[in-house]
């Protein structure tokens, strides 16, 4: 079974997807983490963000692995190195949408995502899972929340990771990501026609998970 979860940054899709994966025993594939890992490599190797040829070649020759750990956390591996924490840095957030909008990079990542999901029942979250990666997914969700709520959530997440960050900078970064994600020419963020829309603004994580699980287990 394949479950697709799409939505904008800060809507809570990764959090609920992880919990649902744990409850159902599914493989959780955080597609955003994969783009973040590549972005980390680009920055570490000091490749200019506009050097598309080098970035595309790097994507083709980079190993990115995901592993669900016993503590419920997703471990992300870049060429064999655990980068689970490094990819959550604000500087990665600042540039990841620029990397993710590159057509050839997305083609490489989509194939990797499909290969990972073939190995078992899986739940994937991202921006184009239900529209591009798995248009025939067994169940599709579009998770959303109003902008101010998404800013608050992302700010708390980064503070919890020990980052020194202001809410104003989070607001600016999120607005920039929304613009890039929704207007890019290749696989823009949008709700699939047959996706179930869930506004999480006034819902707790548990309420969202319960609602999604009920819908997954029925034909609703």
């Amino acid at each position: 079974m394949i479950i697709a979860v799409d939505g904008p940054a800060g809507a809570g899709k990764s959090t609920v997807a992880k919990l649902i994966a744990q409850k159902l025993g599914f493989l959780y594939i955080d597609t955003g983490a994969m783009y973040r890992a590549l972005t980390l490599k680009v920055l570490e190797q000091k490749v200019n963000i506009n050097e598309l040829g080098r970035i595309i070649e790097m994507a083709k020759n980079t190993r990115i692995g995901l592993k669900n750990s016993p503590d419920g956390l997703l471990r992300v591996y870049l060429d064999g190195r655990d980068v689970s924490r490094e990819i959550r840095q604000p500087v990665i957030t600042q540039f990841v949408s620029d990397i993710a909008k590159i057509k050839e990079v997305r083609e490489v990542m989509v194939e990797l995502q499909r290969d990972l999901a073939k190995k078992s029942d899986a739940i994937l979250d991202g921006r184009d899972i239900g529209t591009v990666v798995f248009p025939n997914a067994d169940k599709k969700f579009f998770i959303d929340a109003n902008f101010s709520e998404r800013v608050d959530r992302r700010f708390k997440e980064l503070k919890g990771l020990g980052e020194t960050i202001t809410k104003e900078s989070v607001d600016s970064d999120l607005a920039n990501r929304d613009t890039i994600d929704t207007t890019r020419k290749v696989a823009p963020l949008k709700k699939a026609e047959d996706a179930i829309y869930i506004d999480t603004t006034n819902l707790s994580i548990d309420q969202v998970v319960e609602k999604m699980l009920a819908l997954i287990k029925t034909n609703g």
Side-chain angles (χ1 to χ4, degrees):
M1 183 178 194
I2 300 293
I3 302 171
V5 183
D6 291 309
K13 61 186 181 298
S14 296
T15 301
V16 297
K18 263 185 281 194
L19 290 171
I20 289 172
Q22 290 174 26
K23 290 179 180 295
L24 296 179
F26 281 21
L27 172 66
Y28 167 56
I29 302 175
D30 181 350
T31 63
M34 298 167 70
Y35 288 104
R36 282 175 171 271
L38 179 60
T39 302
L40 175 64
K41 186 172 182 176
V42 168
L43 296 179
E44 285 184 339
Q45 296 195 8
K46 301 187 182 339
V47 175
N48 189 293
I49 207 76
N50 295 312
E51 293 185 75
L52 302 188
R54 288 188 64 188
I55 294 172
I56 292 166
E57 195 61 29
M58 188 177 289
K60 293 177 179 178
N61 295 286
T62 295
R63 290 181 296 112
I64 298 174
L66 304 176
K67 184 178 181 181
N68 294 336
S69 59
D71 58 8
L73 298 176
L74 179 74
R75 312 309 302 181
V76 182
Y77 296 90
L78 174 63
D79 294 325
R81 172 169 61 107
D82 187 342
V83 295
S84 307
R85 184 174 179 81
E86 289 97 320
I87 63 171
R88 301 302 171 184
Q89 299 174 87
V91 67
I92 304 300
T93 301
Q94 182 181 349
F95 291 105
V96 65
S97 289
D98 292 303
I99 300 295
K101 73 180 182 181
I102 302 171
K103 176 178 178 290
E104 292 84 355
V105 168
R106 297 199 72 82
E107 290 172 351
V108 171
M109 292 297 185
V110 166
E111 286 308 308
L112 178 55
Q113 291 155 16
R114 287 173 177 163
D115 287 342
L116 287 170
K118 286 177 183 176
K119 298 175 181 177
S120 67
D121 292 322
I123 179 167
L124 302 86
D125 76 87
R127 304 290 192 281
D128 62 346
I129 309 305
T131 55
V132 175
V133 184
F134 283 104
N136 297 315
D138 298 284
K139 193 71 70 171
K140 301 178 187 178
F141 295 95
F142 191 91
I143 307 300
D144 202 2
N146 67 43
F147 185 75
S148 61
E149 178 65 20
R150 291 194 287 121
V151 170
D152 284 342
R153 290 175 182 174
R154 183 51 55 87
F155 177 69
K156 290 175 182 175
E157 176 189 1
L158 292 172
K159 292 290 284 185
L161 291 172
E163 301 292 346
T164 301
I165 192 112
T166 65
K167 187 168 286 189
E168 289 74 21
S169 64
V170 174
D171 185 300
S172 177
D173 286 342
L174 213 58
N176 182 57
R177 288 194 67 188
D178 282 355
T179 298
I180 295 175
D181 290 344
T182 57
T183 62
R184 68 187 179 212
K185 293 181 180 179
V186 182
L189 166 65
K190 64 179 180 179
K191 175 184 172 296
E193 289 185 6
D194 54 345
I196 300 167
Y197 182 88
I198 300 179
D199 185 340
T200 68
T201 303
N202 298 308
L203 297 176
S204 68
I205 292 171
D206 287 342
Q207 287 174 321
V208 177
V209 170
E210 288 174 12
K211 186 171 185 176
M212 291 175 67
L213 282 172
L215 288 166
I216 290 167
K217 294 174 182 177
T218 67
N219 293 320

